[in-house]
Amino acid sequence: MDPEWLLQQFGGAFIWISLGIIFVECGLFFPFLPGDTLLFALGLFIAGEKIDVLGIGTPFVELVVATILLAAVAFLGNVSGYEIGRRIGPPLYERNGRFLKRKYLDKTDAFFDRHGSKALVIGRFVPFVRTYITVVAGVTRMPRHRFFLWSAVGAVGWVILITLLGFFLGSAFPSLGQNIDKAIIVILAISVVPIAFEWWKHRREAAANS
């Protein structure tokens, strides 16, 4: 899902399409949706005045409104995933479907064990983990008040950091908005950093214990 293509196809409705995609990625177990790139692209588009969120003011005001809406749907998506995991967790673990694969749940479970509540914040920045961490929290029956707190912190931090990065880079380098493909490659590369770090850390711990 190329953000530039989505913008061309849906115009002013792009923000609402993005909200739906973020909700689904964060709560309904579709890890291949472009959450990071969408947030980054939205920041770029708002800086370049390519979209009006609600048509209510300057780009900065539009940015504030967009981040509030995006953080809200990211949090609500997490709550949906948590409640699904809490209610029908065991069958989900036994299922090995096209998107909801057992190996992804196992890796996320291990990630959750290592980081505890902080996993809900750290996991926001790790593809796949972002999608499955909520169902793992639900299956393990993490207390709701603790889940809501850390999930809200993660949702707000993730949305603000990635969207503001796109906005300020778009403001500083207007030509970046005309080269969205290159910008997306950069944000995808940044998204891989947490995965590489976790892999390196795991290898180091395994070597120390051997």
Side-chain angles (χ1 to χ4, degrees), residues 182-196:
K182 294 179 181 178
I184 287 174
I185 291 173
V186 172
I187 198 64
L188 286 174
I190 293 173
S191 298
V192 171
V193 171
I195 299 175

Side-chain angles (χ1 to χ4, degrees), residues 83-100:
E83 294 297 341
I84 291 171
R86 192 177 177 94
R87 291 193 171 106
I88 57 172
L92 287 177
Y93 262 84
E94 293 169 5
R95 179 183 173 84
N96 192 29
R98 182 178 179 184
F99 297 109
L100 193 64

Side-chain angles (χ1 to χ4, degrees), residues 25-99:
E25 183 188 17
C26 291
L28 300 182
F29 319 127
F30 285 86
F32 302 103
L33 295 177
D36 290 331
T37 55
L38 266 182
L39 294 177
F40 186 78
L42 274 166
L44 278 178
F45 293 156
I46 292 172
E49 299 187 39
K50 289 187 174 182
I51 62 171
D52 290 324
V53 178
L54 294 176
I56 56 177
T58 65
F60 184 76
V61 173
E62 297 281 321
L63 176 69
V64 172
V65 173
T67 53
I68 291 172
L69 292 174
L70 290 162
V73 297
F75 173 74
L76 291 174
N78 268 8
V79 171
S80 298
Y82 171 85
E83 294 297 341
I84 291 171
R86 192 177 177 94
R87 291 193 171 106
I88 57 172
L92 287 177
Y93 262 84
E94 293 169 5
R95 179 183 173 84
N96 192 29
R98 182 178 179 184
F99 297 109

Side-chain angles (χ1 to χ4, degrees), residues 104-117:
Y104 297 152
L105 289 170
D106 288 340
K107 289 179 180 178
T108 305
D109 197 15
F111 185 89
F112 194 76
D113 286 341
R114 283 198 303 275
H115 298 288
S117 299

